[in-house]
Structures are given as structure tokens and as C-alpha cells.
Coordinates of all heavy atoms in Angstrom, one line a residue:
D8 N 15.6 28.2 -39.0 CA 15.1 26.8 -39.1 C 14.8 26.3 -37.7 O 15.2 26.9 -36.7 CB 16.1 25.9 -39.7 CG 15.5 24.6 -40.2 OD1 14.2 24.6 -40.2 OD2 16.2 23.8 -40.7
A9 N 13.9 25.3 -37.6 CA 13.6 24.7 -36.3 C 14.8 23.9 -35.8 O 15.7 23.6 -36.5 CB 12.4 23.8 -36.5
N10 N 14.7 23.7 -34.5 CA 15.8 22.8 -33.9 C 15.6 21.4 -34.4 O 14.6 21.0 -34.9 CB 15.8 22.9 -32.3 CG 14.6 22.4 -31.7 OD1 14.4 21.1 -31.8 ND2 13.9 23.2 -31.0
S11 N 16.7 20.6 -34.1 CA 16.7 19.2 -34.7 C 16.1 18.2 -33.7 O 16.4 17.0 -33.9 CB 18.1 18.9 -35.1 OG 19.0 18.9 -33.9
H12 N 15.3 18.6 -32.7 CA 14.9 17.6 -31.7 C 13.4 17.5 -31.7 O 12.8 17.3 -30.6 CB 15.4 18.0 -30.3 CG 16.9 18.3 -30.3 ND1 17.8 17.3 -30.2 CD2 17.6 19.4 -30.4 CE1 19.0 17.8 -30.2 NE2 18.9 19.1 -30.3
L13 N 12.8 17.5 -32.9 CA 11.3 17.5 -33.0 C 10.8 16.1 -33.7 O 11.4 15.7 -34.6 CB 10.9 18.7 -33.9 CG 11.3 20.0 -33.4 CD1 10.8 21.1 -34.4 CD2 10.8 20.4 -32.0
D14 N 9.8 15.6 -33.1 CA 9.1 14.5 -33.7 C 8.0 15.0 -34.7 O 7.7 14.4 -35.7 CB 8.4 13.6 -32.6 CG 9.5 12.9 -31.8 OD1 10.5 12.4 -32.2 OD2 9.2 13.0 -30.5
V15 N 7.4 16.1 -34.3 CA 6.3 16.7 -35.1 C 6.6 18.2 -35.3 O 6.9 18.9 -34.3 CB 4.9 16.5 -34.4 CG1 3.9 17.1 -35.3 CG2 4.7 15.0 -34.1
K16 N 6.6 18.6 -36.5 CA 6.9 20.0 -36.8 C 5.7 20.7 -37.6 O 5.4 20.1 -38.6 CB 8.2 20.2 -37.5 CG 8.5 21.7 -37.8 CD 9.9 21.8 -38.3 CE 10.2 21.3 -39.7 NZ 11.5 21.6 -40.2
Y17 N 5.2 21.8 -37.2 CA 4.2 22.6 -37.9 C 4.8 23.9 -38.2 O 5.4 24.5 -37.3 CB 2.9 22.7 -37.1 CG 2.2 21.5 -36.8 CD1 1.8 21.1 -35.5 CD2 2.0 20.5 -37.8 CE1 1.1 20.0 -35.2 CE2 1.3 19.3 -37.5 CZ 0.9 19.1 -36.2 OH 0.2 17.9 -35.9
H18 N 4.5 24.4 -39.4 CA 5.1 25.7 -39.8 C 4.0 26.7 -39.8 O 2.9 26.5 -40.3 CB 5.7 25.6 -41.2 CG 6.2 26.9 -41.7 ND1 7.4 27.5 -41.2 CD2 5.8 27.8 -42.6 CE1 7.6 28.7 -41.8 NE2 6.5 28.9 -42.7
H19 N 4.3 27.9 -39.3 CA 3.3 29.0 -39.3 C 4.0 30.3 -39.9 O 5.1 30.5 -39.6 CB 2.8 29.4 -37.9 CG 1.9 28.3 -37.4 ND1 0.6 28.4 -37.4 CD2 2.2 27.1 -36.7 CE1 0.0 27.3 -36.9 NE2 0.9 26.6 -36.5
R20 N 3.2 31.0 -40.7 CA 3.7 32.3 -41.2 C 3.4 33.5 -40.4 O 4.0 34.5 -40.5 CB 3.1 32.5 -42.6 CG 3.6 31.4 -43.7 CD 2.9 31.6 -45.0 NE 3.1 32.9 -45.5 CZ 2.4 33.4 -46.6 NH1 1.5 32.7 -47.3 NH2 2.7 34.6 -47.1
R21 N 2.4 33.3 -39.5 CA 1.9 34.4 -38.7 C 1.9 34.0 -37.2 O 1.5 32.8 -36.9 CB 0.6 34.9 -39.1 CG 0.5 35.4 -40.5 CD -0.9 35.8 -40.9 NE -1.4 36.9 -40.2 CZ -1.2 38.2 -40.6 NH1 -0.5 38.4 -41.7 NH2 -1.6 39.2 -39.9
F22 N 2.2 34.9 -36.3 CA 2.1 34.6 -34.9 C 0.7 34.3 -34.4 O 0.5 33.5 -33.5 CB 2.7 35.8 -34.1 CG 4.2 35.9 -34.0 CD1 4.9 36.8 -34.8 CD2 4.9 35.0 -33.2 CE1 6.3 36.8 -34.7 CE2 6.2 35.1 -33.1 CZ 7.0 36.0 -33.9
S23 N -0.2 34.9 -35.1 CA -1.7 34.7 -34.6 C -2.1 33.3 -34.8 O -2.6 32.7 -33.9 CB -2.6 35.6 -35.4 OG -2.4 35.5 -36.8
S24 N -1.8 32.7 -35.9 CA -2.2 31.3 -36.1 C -1.4 30.3 -35.2 O -1.9 29.3 -34.7 CB -2.1 30.9 -37.6 OG -0.7 30.9 -38.0
R25 N -0.1 30.7 -35.0 CA 0.7 29.9 -34.2 C 0.2 29.9 -32.7 O 0.1 28.9 -32.1 CB 2.1 30.4 -34.2 CG 3.2 29.7 -33.5 CD 4.4 30.5 -33.4 NE 5.7 29.8 -33.1 CZ 6.7 30.4 -32.6 NH1 6.7 31.6 -32.2 NH2 7.8 29.6 -32.3
L26 N -0.1 31.1 -32.2 CA -0.7 31.2 -30.9 C -2.0 30.3 -30.7 O -2.1 29.6 -29.7 CB -0.9 32.6 -30.5 CG 0.3 33.5 -30.3 CD1 -0.1 35.0 -30.3 CD2 1.0 33.1 -29.0
D27 N -2.8 30.4 -31.7 CA -4.1 29.6 -31.6 C -3.7 28.1 -31.7 O -4.4 27.3 -31.0 CB -5.0 30.0 -32.8 CG -5.6 31.3 -32.6 OD1 -5.8 31.7 -31.4 OD2 -6.0 31.9 -33.6
E28 N -2.8 27.7 -32.4 CA -2.4 26.2 -32.4 C -1.9 25.8 -31.0 O -2.2 24.7 -30.6 CB -1.5 25.9 -33.5 CG -1.2 24.4 -33.5 CD -0.9 23.9 -35.0 OE1 -0.4 24.7 -35.8 OE2 -1.1 22.7 -35.2
F29 N -1.1 26.7 -30.4 CA -0.6 26.3 -29.1 C -1.8 26.0 -28.2 O -1.7 25.1 -27.4 CB 0.2 27.5 -28.5 CG 1.7 27.5 -28.9 CD1 2.2 28.6 -29.5 CD2 2.5 26.5 -28.6 CE1 3.6 28.7 -29.9 CE2 3.9 26.5 -29.0 CZ 4.4 27.6 -29.6
M30 N -2.7 26.9 -28.2 CA -3.9 26.8 -27.3 C -4.7 25.5 -27.7 O -5.2 24.8 -26.8 CB -4.8 28.0 -27.4 CG -4.1 29.3 -27.0 SD -3.5 29.3 -25.3 CE -1.8 29.0 -25.5
R31 N -4.9 25.3 -29.0 CA -5.7 24.2 -29.5 C -5.1 22.8 -29.1 O -5.9 21.9 -28.7 CB -5.8 24.2 -31.0 CG -6.7 23.1 -31.6 CD -7.0 23.4 -33.0 NE -5.8 23.4 -33.9 CZ -5.4 24.6 -34.5 NH1 -6.0 25.7 -34.3 NH2 -4.3 24.5 -35.2
I32 N -3.8 22.6 -29.1 CA -3.3 21.3 -28.9 C -2.7 21.0 -27.6 O -2.3 19.9 -27.3 CB -2.2 21.0 -30.0 CG1 -0.9 21.8 -29.8 CG2 -2.8 21.2 -31.4 CD1 0.2 21.4 -30.7
S33 N -2.8 22.0 -26.7 CA -2.2 21.9 -25.4 C -3.2 21.8 -24.3 O -4.3 22.4 -24.3 CB -1.2 23.0 -25.1 OG -0.2 23.1 -26.1
H34 N -2.9 21.0 -23.2 CA -3.8 20.9 -22.0 C -3.2 21.7 -20.9 O -4.0 21.9 -19.9 CB -3.8 19.4 -21.6 CG -4.3 18.5 -22.7 ND1 -3.5 17.8 -23.5 CD2 -5.6 18.2 -23.0 CE1 -4.2 17.1 -24.4 NE2 -5.5 17.3 -24.1
A35 N -2.0 22.2 -21.0 CA -1.4 23.0 -19.9 C -0.4 23.9 -20.5 O 0.2 23.6 -21.6 CB -0.9 22.2 -18.8
V36 N -0.1 25.0 -19.8 CA 0.9 26.0 -20.3 C 1.9 26.2 -19.2 O 1.5 26.5 -18.0 CB 0.3 27.3 -20.8 CG1 1.4 28.4 -21.0 CG2 -0.5 27.1 -22.0
V37 N 3.3 26.2 -19.5 CA 4.3 26.6 -18.6 C 5.1 27.7 -19.2 O 5.6 27.5 -20.3 CB 5.2 25.4 -18.2 CG1 6.3 25.8 -17.3 CG2 4.4 24.3 -17.5
V38 N 5.2 28.8 -18.5 CA 6.0 29.9 -19.0 C 7.3 30.0 -18.3 O 7.3 30.1 -17.1 CB 5.2 31.3 -18.9 CG1 6.0 32.4 -19.5 CG2 3.8 31.1 -19.5
T39 N 8.4 29.9 -19.0 CA 9.7 30.0 -18.4 C 10.4 31.4 -18.9 O 9.7 32.2 -19.6 CB 10.6 28.8 -18.9 OG1 10.8 28.9 -20.3 CG2 9.9 27.5 -18.6
P40 N 11.6 31.8 -18.4 CA 12.1 33.1 -18.6 C 12.2 33.4 -20.1 O 12.5 32.5 -21.0 CB 13.5 33.0 -18.1 CG 13.3 32.1 -16.9 CD 12.4 31.0 -17.4
G41 N 11.7 34.6 -20.5 CA 11.8 35.0 -21.8 C 11.5 36.5 -22.0 O 11.3 37.2 -21.0
G42 N 11.5 37.0 -23.3 CA 11.3 38.4 -23.5 C 10.0 38.7 -24.2 O 8.9 38.1 -23.7
I43 N 10.0 39.5 -25.2 CA 8.7 40.0 -25.7 C 7.9 38.8 -26.3 O 6.6 38.8 -26.1 CB 9.0 41.0 -26.9 CG1 9.6 42.3 -26.3 CG2 7.7 41.4 -27.6 CD1 10.0 43.3 -27.3
G44 N 8.5 37.9 -27.0 CA 7.7 36.8 -27.6 C 7.1 36.0 -26.5 O 5.9 35.5 -26.6
T45 N 7.8 35.7 -25.4 CA 7.3 34.9 -24.3 C 6.2 35.6 -23.6 O 5.2 35.1 -23.2 CB 8.4 34.6 -23.3 OG1 9.5 33.9 -24.0 CG2 7.9 33.6 -22.2
L46 N 6.4 37.0 -23.4 CA 5.3 37.8 -22.8 C 4.0 37.8 -23.7 O 2.9 37.7 -23.1 CB 5.8 39.2 -22.7 CG 6.8 39.5 -21.5 CD1 7.4 40.9 -21.7 CD2 6.1 39.4 -20.2
L47 N 4.2 37.8 -25.0 CA 3.0 37.7 -25.9 C 2.3 36.4 -25.6 O 1.1 36.4 -25.5 CB 3.5 37.8 -27.3 CG 2.4 37.5 -28.4 CD1 1.4 38.6 -28.4 CD2 3.1 37.4 -29.8

């Protein structure tokens, strides 16, 4: 489940649509430490 600190929550079944939504609704990207998912 998602964490409990969200004002707006969108659900995705596939990483592909989720990645596209990140790009669509964001004006900037900050990458912090992470593994395979963050590298993707």
C-alpha cells in the first residue's frame, strides 16, 4: 500500500505508465540514493 502522507494518489499497474506519468506531471527530477527501480 502507499504511505499515509499523500494528498493525491494515482494507482498504476505497470511501471511503463507510471514512468510516463512522472514525466508528464513534473517540471524537474531529483534522483536520491536507490537501487534498480531508482536506476530505471
Side-chain angles (χ1 to χ4, degrees):
D8 198 8
N10 69 63
S11 60
H12 307 281
L13 305 175
D14 297 311
V15 182
K16 180 170 70 173
Y17 297 130
H18 176 74
H19 289 267
R20 295 175 59 187
R21 301 176 67 89
F22 279 103
S23 55
S24 66
R25 185 195 200 202
L26 287 166
D27 285 334
E28 183 153 21
F29 276 124
M30 299 301 103
R31 179 171 60 251
I32 70 174
S33 300
H34 301 93
V36 169
V37 178
V38 185
T39 66
I43 294 175
T45 304
L46 285 167
L47 172 66

